[in-house]
Amino acid sequence: MKIRGAQKIHYDSGPNMTPLVDVVMVILIFLMLAGSFVGTEGYLVSDLPLRASGGGSVTPPPGGFPQYEMLEIRVDRNATHDGFVAHAGQIQTSDPKVLEAGLSNMREQYTKAGSSLDKVQVIISPGASVRYEHLIEVYQAALKAQFTKIGFSTAR
């Protein structure tokens, strides 16, 4: 007695590709949607003054270069390397609250002298081994002192 099922030809069609195509299409749609939002975040706006000489020099705009009063805050690591020391004018402190109070006094001096706060540019200049969290504390102290134009320079 012969078994008829053994004589039938079986075609192996391979693995089912439908779930793979579905997953790839979902990933493709996600990347297309996420990629369209990145275009507006491509550049950081900076109010740092333009330079007429040096690397990347530009020609002066028709009204001339904007004139800003620079307030530099130098940030270095303290002697025990577990904190920071901020230097801004006559202020030298490692306490963010003392820095905020000193910057508020400086802001009041600018306003008493007739300077517009829109023309005051605060530059935070970190040392080579300053931790990021300490820069954020200095940045927040400058924000709490109500300075609006705050920038960062490269590490010294």
Side-chain angles (χ1 to χ4, degrees), residues 2 14-15 22 26 29 66 74-75 87 105 126 135 138 142 146 148 150:
K2 292 185 176 180
D22 289 344
V26 167
I29 291 170
R74 291 182 296 118
V75 184
H87 307 273
N105 289 337
L135 290 178
V138 172
Q146 298 177 353
T148 55
I150 303 170

Side-chain angles (χ1 to χ4, degrees), residues 80-99:
T80 59
H81 297 289
D82 61 350
F84 68 94
V85 177
H87 307 273
Q90 299 296 327
I91 305 168
Q92 181 175 347
T93 183
S94 60
D95 185 12
K97 292 183 180 184
V98 173
L99 179 63

Side-chain angles (χ1 to χ4, degrees), residues 116-131:
S116 172
L117 288 180
D118 290 338
K119 297 293 182 183
V120 176
Q121 175 77 46
V122 176
I123 305 293
I124 300 173
S125 179
S129 60
V130 175
R131 296 182 62 168

Side-chain angles (χ1 to χ4, degrees), residues 15-138:
N16 187 2
M17 298 299 287
T18 305
L20 177 67
V21 171
D22 289 344
V23 169
V24 169
M25 290 302 291
V26 167
I27 292 172
L28 181 65
I29 291 170
F30 172 76
L31 291 176
M32 287 172 42
L33 290 175
S36 65
F37 297 120
V38 175
T40 58
E41 299 175 13
Y43 299 100
L44 294 175
V45 178
S46 174
D47 289 330
L48 288 175
L50 301 173
R51 296 183 183 182
S53 64
S57 63
V58 294
T59 57
F65 290 114
Q67 298 298 320
Y68 291 107
E69 293 185 42
M70 298 294 172
L71 171 60
E72 182 181 14
I73 303 173
R74 291 182 296 118
V75 184
D76 295 308
R77 289 184 91 168
N78 62 3
T80 59
H81 297 289
D82 61 350
F84 68 94
V85 177
H87 307 273
Q90 299 296 327
I91 305 168
Q92 181 175 347
T93 183
S94 60
D95 185 12
K97 292 183 180 184
V98 173
L99 179 63
E100 177 189 341
L103 290 175
S104 295
N105 289 337
M106 292 177 97
R107 180 184 46 81
E108 290 173 8
Q109 290 174 0
Y110 279 120
T111 55
K112 285 180 184 177
S115 297
S116 172
L117 288 180
D118 290 338
K119 297 293 182 183
V120 176
Q121 175 77 46
V122 176
I123 305 293
I124 300 173
S125 179
S129 60
V130 175
R131 296 182 62 168
Y132 181 72
E133 64 187 74
H134 301 309
L135 290 178
I136 295 301
E137 291 177 10
V138 172

